[in-house]
Amino acid sequence: MANKPIEIVERPPTSKEHQLLWEAVGWGKYHAEMAEKSLANSLYCLVVQSEGNAVGMGRIVGDGAMYFYIQDVAVLPEYQGKGIGKQITDKLLAYIQNTCAGPAFVGLFAAQGKEEFYQRFGFMDHSPGMTGMFLVMEKAAS
């Protein structure tokens, strides 16, 4: 891998690229059909490429006006620690800055151990006054 050049391309990852990066960073079971629909509904996506291969990605979901959520920031383990995640996050935040007309809520969930990375961009844990919560819903039984 050494110092191969990278290129950031503003486009959604293909489902194969998304799955490769998803699994490489250990995010669990991949649901291809659901992921394809999710990717298609993104507000903004980018892919980091090296020699034509996806080595990183990031995207934004939300309402495109007031609420934005940074999702799927992932870099192949062998490319981590080289500033690629910072470049991805900088570009995602620039998109939001240039899109919102006023104050915007920008949320994300950091993988365990990655909190400090996002704190460098101004993301904060607001507990106990405000707690990030989520619910994972399974498909209803037929």
Side-chain angles (χ1 to χ4, degrees):
M1 201 252 347
N3 290 321
K4 295 179 183 174
I6 62 158
E7 175 185 21
I8 298 177
V9 182
E10 294 178 325
R11 67 166 177 85
T14 66
S15 57
K16 286 187 183 205
E17 291 169 335
H18 191 250
Q19 182 174 5
L20 169 84
L21 291 161
W22 181 284
E23 291 175 348
V25 297
W27 285 343
K29 187 175 179 186
Y30 190 80
H31 300 273
E33 186 177 313
M34 189 168 55
E36 284 182 30
K37 187 173 184 179
S38 180
L39 288 168
N41 288 312
S42 300
L43 294 174
Y44 176 76
C45 299
L46 58 85
V47 175
V48 180
Q49 300 177 163
S50 179
E51 298 185 322
N53 298 310
V55 300
M57 67 178 174
R59 67 188 185 113
I60 299 169
V61 299
D63 64 15
M66 187 184 312
Y67 297 102
F68 299 86
Y69 291 86
I70 294 179
Q71 294 291 142
D72 297 347
V73 174
V75 176
L76 288 178
E78 59 268 31
Y79 283 81
Q80 292 177 9
K82 300 180 181 320
I84 295 172
K86 181 183 181 322
Q87 289 180 62
I88 292 170
T89 306
D90 282 341
K91 203 149 178 67
L92 295 175
L93 291 172
Y95 171 87
I96 296 168
Q97 185 74 51
N98 294 325
T99 301
C100 66
F105 176 90
V106 182
L108 61 78
F109 285 99
Q112 188 173 18
K114 300 295 183 181
E115 299 89 352
E116 189 176 308
F117 172 80
Y118 291 106
Q119 287 170 350
R120 289 185 235 147
F121 296 94
F123 289 92
M124 299 180 333
D125 177 353
H126 289 275
S127 59
M130 186 183 301
T131 304
M133 300 173 71
F134 67 95
L135 167 68
V136 176
M137 294 185 75
E138 297 295 330
K139 184 177 178 181
S142 303

